[in-house]
Amino acid sequence: MSYDLARKINLIFVLGIAGVLAGSLTIQFGGEYPCPLCILQRLAFVLMTMGPLLNLRFGVRQRHYAISLFAALFGMSVSVRQVLLHVVPGTGSYGFAVLNMHLYTWAFVIFFMAVLAVAVMLAVHKEAEIVPEVVQTRDAYVKVAFAVMGLIVAIMAVATLLECGWQCPDNPTGYKLL
Amino acid sequence: MSALLFFMVLGSLALAWFGRRHWSMTLVLAAIALGVVWFGHHVTSAIHIDL
């Protein structure tokens, strides 16, 4: 795999996760407030994009992929916890379903796919094995990826602060600080 | 607490943008660790079982 193709795939990864996060913000501003576990899953998605962002900015490296793996495993743990809370019929659910699966189940699927994608990238991209010189780049890929993720993380940080304050309620019904 | 973690990621993004790779990675790993601690607290405080 060429170095440029690897960078393109990293950019697509970032934009894909940004799309998922933008969807969750749309749902939030549509009136459905995220629960504490939902917020942790969002956090894991955001943390997962840091690996590809560092790859784009400083060159593709194993350590950057490791960050994505740590974050994806963290996110999988949280989403499995939420699935298990509601998996028994009659125990209710949180939020609505999309294509017969709730958003936390979709989150689990996406985290699983991300682990798979990172494993494939580590397997097929030979340059990630070699520790190259750290090359700092601020090309169009970096600018787009950082602008999109910076905007999304800033909105999420403020929205979470307004909704939760220091501690989130289990079933939020509005913004605590407004 | 959760908002703090998002602000940590924002800081990490800024550090990466300004070329501070190691500090950025450290902050991300710290955010993951704090998230894990917070999640652990959430789970253990909700489950009441005798081991």
Side-chain angles (χ1 to χ4, degrees):
Chain A
M1 178 184 285
S2 74
Y3 190 75
D4 193 50
L5 179 60
R7 291 190 84 231
K8 271 185 190 147
I9 292 173
N10 275 277
L11 179 65
I12 291 168
F13 185 98
V14 171
L15 295 180
I17 299 298
V20 169
L21 292 169
S24 78
L25 280 173
T26 310
I27 292 167
Q28 176 172 354
F29 295 135
E32 188 161 329
Y33 302 100
C35 59
L37 287 175
C38 312
I39 291 173
L40 274 184
Q41 285 162 61
R42 285 179 174 191
L43 179 76
F45 277 126
V46 168
L47 288 166
M48 214 165 63
T49 63
M50 282 308 295
L53 284 169
L54 290 168
N55 276 339
L56 290 170
R57 177 82 177 90
F58 298 106
V60 180
R61 294 184 140 209
Q62 283 180 344
R63 278 188 174 182
H64 301 158
Y65 282 125
I67 286 177
S68 293
L69 283 179
F70 285 137
L73 289 173
F74 166 54
M76 277 174 91
S77 312
V78 179
S79 52
V80 161
R81 158 76 177 155
Q82 197 166 11
V83 168
L84 290 177
L85 277 176
H86 303 297
V87 77
V88 176
T91 51
S93 59
Y94 193 88
F96 58 87
V98 177
L99 298 175
N100 289 329
M101 291 207 297
H102 284 90
L103 296 181
Y104 38 84
T105 314
W106 278 114
F108 173 78
V109 172
I110 296 169
F111 285 126
F112 184 88
M113 298 301 285
V115 170
L116 198 63
V118 172
V120 169
M121 285 303 286
L122 282 169
V124 301
H125 188 220
K126 276 191 282 183
E127 279 85 348
E129 280 177 33
I130 309 157
V131 181
E133 290 290 313
V134 174
V135 275
Q136 295 204 23
T137 322
R138 269 193 202 157
D139 60 2
Y141 289 0
V142 177
K143 282 177 184 161
V144 168
F146 272 70
V148 169
M149 282 314 296
L151 182 67
I152 286 179
V153 178
I155 293 172
M156 284 199 163
V158 173
T160 308
L161 183 67
L162 291 176
E163 185 195 328
C164 300
W166 179 250
Q167 180 119 26
C168 273
D170 281 341
N171 287 304
T173 52
Y175 292 98
K176 245 186 190 178
L177 300 187
L178 287 182
Chain B
M1 177 74 172
S2 39
L4 171 74
L5 295 176
F6 279 109
F7 281 112
M8 283 174 77
V9 180
L10 207 52
S12 171
L13 267 173
L15 285 167
W17 178 256
F18 290 111
R20 301 280 181 266
R21 176 172 167 266
H22 287 289
W23 282 110
S24 173
M25 286 173 68
T26 306
L27 205 55
V28 171
L29 290 174
I32 293 175
L34 270 176
V36 169
V37 168
W38 187 40
F39 175 56
H41 171 72
H42 178 89
V43 171
T44 51
S45 61
I47 297 176
H48 302 287
I49 51 170
D50 290 325
L51 294 173

